[in-house]
Amino acid sequence: MDFRYTDDEEAFRKEVQQFINESMPPGWLGVDPGPEEETREDVGPLARQMWRKLGQKSWIGLTLPKAYGGQEAPLWKEMILLQELAYRGAPGMDTAIAQVDLILTFGTEEQKRRFVVPITRGEVKWAIGMSEPNAGSDTFAVQLRAVEEEDYFVLNGQKIWSSGAHNANYEMVYARTDPENKHMGLSVFMVDLKSPGITLRQIPQMTGIPAFCEVFFDNVRVPKENLLGEKNGGWQVLLHAFGAERTYGLFAIYNAKRYLDHLIQYCNETHVDGQLLSKDPLVRNRLAQMAIEIEVGCNLGHELNWQAIQGQPTVKTSNQIKVHGAAIAQRVANLGMQILGLYGPLHERSKWVRLGGRFSHEYLSTIGSSLAGGTTENSKNHIAGRAGLGLPKK
């Protein structure tokens, strides 16, 4: 199997790399993909600037119809763009991209023009309102109620773990519209986070970054035209969203590749007891093992991209990537902390810190990677089931 890119594809990759080089500050070590680190004061403004720049180049939703701000470009172009952004740790990538897919699949023409175009221009950001307290991984257990009244729905309840909601303009909210039907009683709403009755409370993480939010809904009126899909038809939107979200494991893999490359450079430049770390047999062995695992992840990414371009189902491969990506993120962080030794836990502001303190951050932030966006156990159930190994339900 030959995964080499064509001349056109390589030319676009170089264009993206040049754009990132010109947009990032000198010596940029990168941040993790997603909205979490955008909460940092030194990253937030750069992330917003980057999101708008991507919009100005029509690189948000490259494959979308031009009527919605896209370029109708082939899928490989978008894949190369996302790979490069993740590998360089460029901020600004937003969950709004995933919401575009949902709106184009389930939205009305009016909704597509109203909500998608501002996203592709890089003007707005979105959060996801899926998780709830006490619901665990069972999204069909959501209790936030949406009651139909006249020309709007009234929302009451709470969401939790909404990444970057305090920096977002809209939230895709999964709500219960039929309390008697667990699976068929959900609906999905596109909610303006400045609506009266909404309160946000940030949740500090172990990294010290308060990137997650609790979002409280107290008699929030949402216009009926903001209902996505059919009333009580939210399960269709939910399953589609799960399929898209699993591919975020690819970002974790390319993010880990950057961390490994930084670690290799460190070992090639650092002497311990008069010897380069890169000449230590144990260090060489561990780096090589990590490189193999990342290469396996990248090849899974190639397979996923090929399946998507061919129009084939991607459920099994995307879940494999979700599981593998989460594990790789944790392993490269552990490896970095072991190689850095006593330098590893130092704060990024310490004068003794190495590699900008990125491995200390990564070590803490990746603990939740096997839970975020659906647990590893959930993904394994998908792999074991009808779309993967064909095993019967328990």
Side-chain angles (χ1 to χ4, degrees):
M1 194 174 292
D2 188 350
F3 289 137
R4 281 178 298 182
Y5 290 91
T6 66
D7 290 343
D8 285 347
E9 291 165 350
E10 285 299 340
F12 181 67
R13 184 183 298 280
K14 288 179 181 174
E15 182 183 352
V16 174
Q17 289 171 342
Q18 183 178 350
F19 167 75
I20 296 173
N21 287 338
E22 293 172 352
S23 300
M24 294 297 105
W28 178 251
L29 290 173
V31 293
D32 295 345
E36 276 81 7
E37 286 201 80
E38 293 180 18
T39 301
R40 289 171 41 172
E41 291 182 1
D42 58 332
V43 177
L46 183 62
R48 288 189 287 276
Q49 186 182 75
M50 191 68 173
W51 182 240
R52 189 169 287 275
K53 280 185 178 180
L54 289 168
Q56 289 169 347
K57 292 183 72 68
S58 296
W59 279 2
I60 301 174
L62 266 170
T63 59
L64 299 183
K66 292 180 180 177
Y68 308 126
Q71 289 192 24
E72 300 179 5
L75 187 57
W76 61 259
K77 245 183 167 179
E78 187 170 85
M79 293 166 174
I80 289 174
L81 174 66
L82 297 179
Q83 284 174 9
E84 291 299 323
L85 288 170
Y87 176 68
R88 288 298 307 278
M93 294 172 64
D94 195 85
T95 54
I97 294 175
Q99 309 320 305
V100 164
D101 185 39
L102 294 181
I103 297 168
L104 289 181
T105 303
F106 297 97
T108 64
E109 185 58 34
E110 188 274 337
Q111 288 174 334
K112 294 173 186 175
R113 294 186 182 277
R114 184 156 62 103
F115 291 109
V116 172
V117 173
I119 293 174
T120 54
R121 287 177 180 164
E123 296 172 350
V124 298
K125 285 180 169 288
W126 283 64
I128 301 173
M130 195 178 283
S131 300
E132 289 191 8
N134 305 317
S137 296
D138 184 5
T139 309
F140 287 108
V142 299
Q143 294 299 313
L144 187 146
R145 288 292 312 278
V147 178
E148 189 172 2
E149 290 186 11
E150 301 175 350
D151 58 350
Y152 52 83
F153 286 83
V154 180
L155 273 58
N156 280 286
Q158 179 189 354
K159 293 295 176 183
I160 196 168
W161 314 125
S162 294
S163 302
H166 58 295
N167 286 327
N169 305 89
Y170 291 92
E171 183 166 60
M172 194 69 80
V173 177
Y174 295 75
R176 182 154 299 285
T177 40
D178 182 354
E180 304 301 324
N181 193 328
K182 180 176 180 180
H183 291 92
M184 304 295 286
L186 291 181
S187 300
V188 183
F189 299 90
M190 294 171 284
V191 180
D192 185 338
L193 284 170
K194 290 184 179 176
S195 302
I198 291 181
T199 304
L200 282 83
R201 186 163 63 196
Q202 292 174 250
I203 306 172
Q205 298 165 239
M206 282 194 295
T207 56
I209 302 174
F212 291 151
C213 288
E214 292 177 284
V215 186
F216 300 91
F217 296 78
D218 183 11
N219 290 319
V220 177
R221 292 185 178 188
V222 179
K224 283 186 176 177
E225 56 261 33
N226 286 21
L227 170 67
L228 182 65
E230 298 179 359
K231 180 183 176 183
N232 297 328
W235 64 276
Q236 292 176 305
V237 182
L238 183 67
L239 294 181
H240 193 91
F242 278 160
E245 192 161 323
R246 296 294 185 267
T247 60
Y248 288 145
L250 265 181
F251 300 148
I253 289 167
Y254 285 100
N255 195 47
K257 190 173 188 303
R258 181 182 74 257
Y259 278 98
L260 176 63
D261 288 348
H262 286 171
L263 208 49
I264 291 171
Q265 183 178 353
Y266 176 79
C267 292
N268 273 326
E269 297 172 348
T270 304
H271 290 80
V272 174
D273 296 333
Q275 177 179 276
L276 273 175
L277 268 176
S278 57
K279 291 188 176 181
D280 184 310
L282 180 58
V283 170
R284 293 163 64 91
N285 183 289
R286 297 290 304 279
L287 290 173
Q289 179 63 35
M290 198 67 245
I292 292 169
E293 294 182 25
I294 289 176
E295 192 65 25
V296 170
C298 290
N299 284 335
L300 279 172
H302 290 312
E303 183 177 352
L304 178 74
N305 294 343
W306 183 83
Q307 289 172 337
I309 289 172
Q310 299 299 315
Q312 294 185 3
T314 60
V315 175
K316 185 182 78 172
T317 310
S318 60
N319 277 284
Q320 288 174 327
I321 290 174
K322 169 71 173 64
V323 173
H324 196 60
I328 280 179
Q330 293 172 345
R331 287 175 193 154
V332 77
N334 288 339
L335 176 59
M337 291 295 278
Q338 289 171 18
I339 288 178
L340 290 171
L342 293 176
Y343 294 114
L346 294 179
H347 192 274
E348 62 184 7
R349 288 195 292 270
S350 168
K351 67 178 182 179
W352 303 108
V353 76
R354 300 291 188 268
L355 298 175
R358 291 303 306 170
F359 280 89
S360 172
H361 166 86
E362 190 71 352
Y363 184 79
L364 295 174
S365 69
T366 56
I367 289 174
S369 62
S370 51
L371 300 172
T375 64
T376 291
E377 288 73 18
N378 260 347
S379 287
K380 288 182 178 176
N381 277 335
H382 283 292
I383 296 168
R386 189 172 54 186
L389 305 179
L391 301 177
K393 290 184 177 179
K394 292 184 290 183

